[in-house]
Amino acid sequence: DAMVIQNPRYQVTQFGKPVTLSCSQTLNHNVMYWYQQKSSQAPKLLFHYYDKDFNNEADTPDNFQSRRPNTSFCFLDIRSPGLGDAAMYLCATSRVAVGETQYFGPGTRLLVL
Amino acid sequence: AQSVAQPEDQVNVAEGNPLTVKCTYSVSGNPYLFWYVQYPNRGLQFLLKYITGDNLVKGSYGFEAEFNKSQTSFHLKKPSALVSDSALYFCAVRASGSARQLTFGSGTQLTVLP
């Protein structure tokens, strides 16, 4: 089945230790998104790629970066995680179209010790 | 700017009864409206969307939603609730012709009581 895959599902890191979260998709969608979700709140968009074009939200901290080496994969790098970065990180994809739908992966829950 | 309001943090309904989860929105221009459901420790699952056309939209698992332009609402409904429908529901909006970022509501926790 075509899908959005996130690895790992749970990630534990130490305060200040860089961490990378992974997202892959078999949908061949040209847009990939990274969201942060805390405590069942609304997901907050961090950035997205339209093909290779990177679009950063204005309020996304510099601590968060992303890479998209090819159509299928996208990575979220947190350079120096703080306790406030503990959250669920959601990857989503969409195909550019009128009223396009975003399809989400299962998420990675990040714990910062 | 676009915004979404889900006025109820929590909705409780008895199994077999109809359910409604409310959503109102504000956008400039025509809206694209979406409903997603989230189960614990999972990602968001797409239920249905309104782009244009018929105001009544049918989606997955027996859910439907009615677009009401005059009331700027897009309430989610189901005629007969199941215990397995208990989850967190998010409404989202995007203005047609704008950047593709979705604006999500704060979410409504639905609990279906057996």
Side-chain angles (χ1 to χ4, degrees), chain A residues 9 31 33 35 37 40-42 45 48 50 57 90 96 98-102 104-106 109, chain B residues 32 34 36 38 41-46 49 51 88 90 94 100-102 104-107 109:
Chain A
R9 295 293 314 281
V31 189
Y33 309 77
Y35 288 87
Q37 187 184 27
S40 299
Q41 297 175 14
L45 182 64
H48 75 279
Y50 180 173
E57 293 302 294
L90 298 167
V96 174
V98 174
E100 66 201 58
T101 300
Q102 292 185 22
F104 285 78
R109 183 165 295 282
Chain B
Y32 297 147
F34 303 81
Y36 287 87
Q38 186 176 34
N41 291 312
R42 302 302 302 270
L44 274 65
Q45 184 175 339
F46 170 71
K49 69 181 178 183
I51 302 175
L88 184 59
F90 288 100
R94 176 191 150 201
R100 57 179 39 81
Q101 288 89 329
L102 287 176
F104 286 88
S106 56
Q109 180 66 48

Side-chain angles (χ1 to χ4, degrees), chain B residues 10-21 35-40 45 47 59-64 76-90 108-114:
Chain B
Q10 175 83 41
V11 170
N12 295 327
V13 64
E15 186 175 27
N17 283 1
L19 68 87
T20 299
V21 183
W35 275 103
Y36 287 87
V37 60
Q38 186 176 34
Y39 294 94
Q45 184 175 339
L47 280 179
S60 306
Y61 312 117
F63 285 94
E64 59 188 29
L76 181 69
K77 299 182 179 184
K78 187 174 183 181
S80 179
L82 300 172
V83 172
S84 57
D85 293 329
S86 299
L88 184 59
Y89 289 79
F90 288 100
T108 297
Q109 180 66 48
L110 172 69
T111 300
V112 181
L113 305 168

